[in-house]
Amino acid sequence: MSSLLLKSAKILDSESPYHLKTKDIFIEHGVITKIEDKLEKADRIISFEDLHVSGGFFDSSVSFGEPGFEERETLSNGVVTARKSGFTSFLLNPNLNPITDTNSSVKFLQQQIDKQLIDIKPLGALTKGFDGKNLAELYDMQMAGAVGFYDFKTPVADANLFKIALQYVKAFDGLVFSYPQDKSIAGKAQVNEDELTTYIGLKGMPNLAEELQIARDLYILDYTGGRLHIPNVSTKASVQLIKKAKARGLKVTCSVALPHLFFTSEKLETFDSKYKIFPPLRTREDLKALKKAVRDGIIDMLTCDHEPMDEEHKALEFENASYGSIGLESAFSVVNTLFGVEKASALLSKPKTKFGLETSKIEVNQRADLSLFNPNSKYTFQKQHIFSKSKNSIFLGESLTGKVFGSIYNDSFYEN
């Protein structure tokens, strides 16, 4: 497809001179060549009711299943799911089989990705096979294209190893991810420790399990220097620890998963395994603190924490069910429902700069990297809205506002 024309699109991009203006946008060979009040001709004209457009959505934590767990999700279907959901770029977690912990495994993923259709950046494992004992091929993986190092949802218990990792990657400006959980405190608990979960008889983990690990990591970061990303923060005190670290000038960023901004542990009263996620759903006080931290910019980014799980492992009694929820398809609607369209579009499109990734403005002579949506459409999220192979969405049955029409990346348009 050589040319596309978006008709009457309200532009949401604070860095663009057309921010909050409604314009026609002409795209030729993957580049925005005209933005005017009225344009007429193109190979394909795209027109939707109440069309809004922002920079392409980005997510810092997406899991697929290929290679190794194709029954959960394949790379090709995952790309279609992301594009139809408005995402043009994301970080791909290394929790595959084999785990992405070598130069060759990063190169393999890069070879499978059609860079004309989507911008996927692999994360490499921090330790070999997530063993927490031996550092993986960090430098070699970064040279192959990995943008950070993360033992997916597996905390690094060895403080000295964590220190060495931060010191080592400084030489090539590498980024270490550290999952915030102290396993010795968390034990085998599966839910938050609070009054409700104690009442219904589920073994709970205290907030301390998260906060102790974050405090340790930040103390070590202060000693070593370097760059640290803390994914999936979920408690009020975690936010305060990170706020103080940023005030001291430490190079630390963090994310929060969307379910922790939308649900509390009160949902567990039903024992429905769709609410079994990691970290667990917290209290209303934590949720309010997390939302405030997003508005204040202490939390740098949101993640849908897309983690497909096949029905065989998810549709079980709560104690035996696997953790995880998909989230790409519902992400914009959830963020728009929570924060409104201007904030939502910024939260979903801007954070890629935190990882040093290229962004495009909605401006003439810029590469086309766009998400298309109607922020006012109301609906109930159901299985018919899911494109993933797996259907394990925590948001099934929720009333949401905002419908994604699709995305444009280079000269390809994926329509929802």
Side-chain angles (χ1 to χ4, degrees), residues 186-213:
K188 296 181 179 180
Q190 298 184 333
V191 298
N192 185 57
E193 182 183 85
D194 56 46
E195 191 173 325
L196 173 68
T197 56
T198 301
Y199 173 75
I200 61 179
L202 293 173
K203 184 173 175 56
M205 67 179 75
N207 290 9
L208 177 65
E210 176 172 307
E211 296 149 10
L212 192 63
Q213 187 83 358

Side-chain angles (χ1 to χ4, degrees), residues 239-252 298:
V239 168
Q240 293 305 312
L241 288 167
I242 293 167
K243 180 180 180 180
K244 291 176 182 177
K246 287 185 172 188
R248 297 203 309 274
L250 299 187
K251 294 180 181 178
V252 57
I298 298 165

Side-chain angles (χ1 to χ4, degrees), residues 108-125:
F108 171 81
L109 287 172
Q110 296 279 42
Q111 290 165 0
Q112 306 308 306
I113 297 165
D114 187 338
K115 295 178 178 60
Q116 294 303 308
L117 295 181
I118 198 164
D119 184 21
I120 300 177
K121 301 296 185 185
L123 291 170

Side-chain angles (χ1 to χ4, degrees), residues 223-287:
Y223 175 80
T224 61
R227 298 164 59 217
L228 174 65
H229 180 70
I230 303 174
N232 299 79
V233 298
S234 65
T235 78
K236 180 179 179 179
S238 294
V239 168
Q240 293 305 312
L241 288 167
I242 293 167
K243 180 180 180 180
K244 291 176 182 177
K246 287 185 172 188
R248 297 203 309 274
L250 299 187
K251 294 180 181 178
V252 57
T253 56
C254 65
S255 68
V256 61
L258 293 182
H260 292 96
L261 299 171
F262 204 90
F263 302 108
T264 69
S265 61
E266 294 167 11
K267 286 289 185 181
L268 301 179
E269 196 167 12
T270 63
F271 292 93
D272 189 333
S273 63
K274 76 176 181 180
Y275 298 113
K276 187 176 182 180
I277 60 171
F278 210 53
L281 296 175
R282 303 293 190 179
T283 66
R284 192 159 298 278
E285 183 182 10
D286 292 314
L287 181 147

